[in-house]
């Protein structure tokens, strides 16, 4: 970037759950920003948003929206990214894409800034932001991989409905109201979850749905495949063994994960705690004697990845268990995208 | 039992979440029953309950309550069992105890009828009913242990609040109402969960609490220790490796479990499905192509243990993943106790 230049930043999907958080974060970001464009569908065009002391008018997303844009943050679904990300790049913008569309494309960096910032250096215009449930796991495990080597991960998730968008939050709240009004649990109104793109819909209120996204190969859902494949790409090691069971639970915001790891070396709980206590992006919350452990409701609007319940496996001296929680709309989505932009600015890659 | 004799059955804790289910099940049980006594604290004494075409008057629990009782079903807390179970045995009753008090006492059978009914034969008056989250895991895994041998279990639970009693259900419902009324999630009224016996209480609504019961050795909670130790005792094999992370979620009823197992032999998903399809107490619900998998809300008032999402581990040919769901008040508590009584009757042990 030229000395003294200030960026024009576009947010694609500005009215969504993640886009809203992106616009909030852009008000306090560590980047020189000249101008912010809020882009959305035709339906939202013309509405206004407060941004610092300005009023932003939402513009309809078109290819020409990206004229003069330096950084384009996408979070409006894979189909939108597929069409418009190349248009933005063509017009000179760097795209940071929060959808899954480009994540596994060879040559496209998939980045958690605490983990693999160096992969930004080879970017060709598009940088992919990983899946929410993957990001927080990477922040917690990379310091342990660095210290002890990482052989195997088995993760079971407890994922919030906000990961499926603002409409899924409304669906949960409506179902909870229906239950309090006396409607049977199996008859609550469900039109979105477990996956808007799948055929059947089930209530999430007072339930646990072991399906996030649609089913893929081997009986694993695409969400589970994302955690498996993205982990290997971000950590840059195809030999890491990863298994995931992804489950939606009736939580508004904040993903929790029960993670079992097998390291390559033996170590102690204390050594792991000491490493995580000073790891970037990690907040260690681990004191059973005072009932201190990460909780979804405590993670909301927080930027950290909270780690606790660290225990040794009783049978494997290289095995450990952790409980990892983060705000899936922030570090899991909007914040990580913004941090990618900050890191690229710092590395003079924009 | 003498030919033609009919049993007198006492339910201790008759007004609790589990006791209520026990009384419901006794109306349809496969046992000759002459008389049912509903026992509870002084506070509930004198209240009446419908039982078939009779009216039961709740009696205050005393040692003499067990005069003439053949079968005493206890579910009123470990302290009550500690004092009154020996009194019941002294008066000739067989005690089936749903609390954790006697479970790990050597010589006291800890029984899931589908798994280890033969251990009933050496009973000396008291039979322990296992922990809710352990029972459903045993029903699902014992057929696989029989077929392939079982080396290791790693389980993460999604446990319903009903496991903490009727008051915990009311607490969840009240918190949900407070949230709909606009109260912040971290300020919802919490006086019971995560554990009535511990110091701090946290909201469960829209949250996941990685603490069930109080903390014990090695940073594991007592609920986690129960799953570890009870599994070895029920399966009669101290060499089985077990790790558990027990988590309370905002579900009224129905425990779910994400289970990873390592068998002693290689096998296939199809072979596991075929075994579980005909296993006693198991209902196989496993068809991703039609979005069929076990759900907590579908398990309520059902007697089965539902198993689905069966997948091979992608890295270990002896490793498999399963999702196991059951009504924790039924198979996890009241139903298993009743089934123990039925099995003892069948084996002429009462």
């Amino acid at each position: 970037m030229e000395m003294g230049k200030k960026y024009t930043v576009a947010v694609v999907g500005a009215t969504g759950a993640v886009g809203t958080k992106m616009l909030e974060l852009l008000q306090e970001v560590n980047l020189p920003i000249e101008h912010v464009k809020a882009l959305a569908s035709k339906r939202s065009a013309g509405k206004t948003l407060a941004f610092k002391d300005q009023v932003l008018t939402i513009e309809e997303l078109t290819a020409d929206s990206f004229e003069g844009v330096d950084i384009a943050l996408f979070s409006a679904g894979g189909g939108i990214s597929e069409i418009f990300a190349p248009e933005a790049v063509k017009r000179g913008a760097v795209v940071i894409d929060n959808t899954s569309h480009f994540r596994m494309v060879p040559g496209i960096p998939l980045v958690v800034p605490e983990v693999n910032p160096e992969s930004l250096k080879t970017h060709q215009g598009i940088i992919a932001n990983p899946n929410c449930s993957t990001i927080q796991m990477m922040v917690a495990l990379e310091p342990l991989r660095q210290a002890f080597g990482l052989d195997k991960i088995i993760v079971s998730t407890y994922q919030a409905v906000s990961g499926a968008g603002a409409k899924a939050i409304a669906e949960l709240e409506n179902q909870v109201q229906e239950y309090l009004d006396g409607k049977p649990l199996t008859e609550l109104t469900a039109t979105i979850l477990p996956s808007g793109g799948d055929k059947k819909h089930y209530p999430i209120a007072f339930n646990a749905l072991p399906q996030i996204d649609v089913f893929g190969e081997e009986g694993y859902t695409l969400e589970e495949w994302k955690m498996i494949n993205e982990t290997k790409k971000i950590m840059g090691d195809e030999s890491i063994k990863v298994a995931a069971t992804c489950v939606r639970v009736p939580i508004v915001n904040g993903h929790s994960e029960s993670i079992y790891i097998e390291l390559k070396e033996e170590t102690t709980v204390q050594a792991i705690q000491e490493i995580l206590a000073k790891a970037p992006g990690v907040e260690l919350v681990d004191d059973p004697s005072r009932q201190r452990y990460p909780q979804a409701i405590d993670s909301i609007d927080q930027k950290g990845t909270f780690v606790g319940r660290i225990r040794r496996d009783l049978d494997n001296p290289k095995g450990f268990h952790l409980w990892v929680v983060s705000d899936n709309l922030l570090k899991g989505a909007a914040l990580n995208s913004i941090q990618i932009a900050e890191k690229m600015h710092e590395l003079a890659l924009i």
Side-chain angles (χ1 to χ4, degrees), chain A:
Chain A
M1 169 172 117
E2 304 151 42
M3 284 290 287
K5 191 194 161 183
K6 288 188 168 186
Y7 298 124
T8 293
V9 180
V11 174
V12 182
T15 57
V18 174
T20 304
K21 293 288 179 186
M22 285 172 166
L23 286 165
E24 279 176 34
L25 291 167
L26 282 171
Q27 302 189 36
E28 50 179 77
V29 73
N30 195 16
L31 281 177
I33 295 179
E34 174 83 44
H35 181 54
V36 169
K37 295 179 90 162
L39 304 174
S41 65
K42 195 170 185 174
R43 193 164 38 82
S44 297
K47 293 181 187 165
T48 57
L49 291 168
F51 184 83
K52 291 188 183 173
D53 52 357
Q54 309 163 38
V55 174
L56 293 185
T57 302
I58 297 173
E59 300 171 45
E60 183 187 351
L61 169 68
T62 69
D64 289 334
S65 304
F66 299 102
E67 291 293 345
V69 168
D70 302 292
I71 303 168
L73 305 171
F74 277 69
S75 191
I80 297 290
S81 292
E82 181 179 11
I83 297 168
F84 290 99
E87 297 291 342
V89 172
K90 206 184 292 178
R91 287 166 178 79
V94 163
V95 167
I96 301 169
D97 181 29
N98 188 48
T99 78
S100 65
H101 188 75
F102 296 104
R103 286 181 194 151
M104 294 310 298
V105 176
I108 292 197
L110 180 67
V111 178
V112 180
E114 293 90 337
V115 178
N116 61 338
E118 73 290 342
S119 67
L120 289 168
K121 291 178 183 166
T122 59
H123 86 88
Q124 298 179 357
I126 299 175
I127 294 95
N129 193 71
N131 187 51
C132 47
S133 53
T134 312
I135 293 173
Q136 67 187 69
M137 186 164 83
M138 295 301 91
V139 172
L141 298 190
E142 175 66 9
L144 306 181
R145 189 181 77 86
Q146 294 280 350
F148 309 110
L150 181 58
D151 187 51
K152 187 175 177 79
I153 303 170
I154 297 174
V155 56
S156 296
T157 70
Y158 303 67
Q159 291 183 236
V161 297
S162 62
K167 284 180 184 167
I169 299 174
E171 176 161 287
L172 168 59
E173 291 175 345
N174 181 58
Q175 287 173 0
V176 161
Q177 183 64 62
E178 288 181 328
Y179 171 76
L180 292 178
D181 292 343
K183 207 167 178 183
L185 284 172
T186 53
E187 294 171 24
L188 303 179
T189 308
T191 63
I192 297 170
L193 295 171
S195 168
D198 214 336
K199 290 187 198 76
K200 291 186 191 168
H201 302 291
Y202 304 118
I204 185 62
F206 309 102
N207 200 12
L209 287 170
Q211 182 193 351
I212 298 182
D213 210 332
V214 298
F215 282 92
E217 297 290 304
E218 301 268 9
Y220 286 77
T221 61
L222 295 197
E223 184 84 354
E224 289 158 357
W225 278 115
K226 287 173 205 164
M227 291 195 81
I228 294 165
N229 293 327
E230 294 180 17
T231 293
K232 296 178 190 204
K233 181 168 177 175
I234 295 164
M235 288 186 161
D237 183 355
E238 287 295 316
S239 74
I240 298 174
K241 300 162 188 145
V242 188
T245 300
C246 291
V247 181
R248 191 79 71 187
V249 290
I251 289 177
V252 176
N253 202 15
H255 285 356
S256 303
E257 299 178 343
S258 172
I259 302 177
Y260 169 71
I261 52 171
E262 286 177 5
L263 301 171
K264 291 191 173 166
E265 295 172 19
E266 298 184 14
T267 184
T268 64
V269 167
Q270 195 189 335
I272 288 176
Q273 287 171 329
E274 284 170 7
I275 285 168
L276 291 177
K278 54 190 179 190
V282 172
E283 303 272 350
L284 185 69
V285 183
D286 194 14
D287 185 354
S289 71
R290 293 193 295 153
Q291 290 176 266
R292 293 193 72 236
Y293 35 71
Q295 296 181 33
I297 58 172
D298 292 333
S299 76
I300 296 172
D301 291 334
Q302 301 296 309
K303 293 181 178 174
T305 293
F306 300 86
V307 185
R309 297 287 340 263
I310 303 171
R311 289 155 290 152
R312 71 177 186 93
D313 190 74
L314 301 170
D315 303 296
N316 183 341
K318 297 176 185 172
F320 293 87
H321 302 269
L322 305 89
W323 178 252
V324 176
V325 178
S326 193
D327 183 328
N328 52 295
L329 295 180
L330 290 183
K331 186 57 185 170
L335 177 64
N336 197 68
S337 289
I338 300 279
Q339 287 172 332
I340 289 171
E342 288 177 321
K343 182 60 75 175
M344 292 182 79
H345 172 67
E346 182 189 319
L347 297 173
L349 293 169
I350 307 181

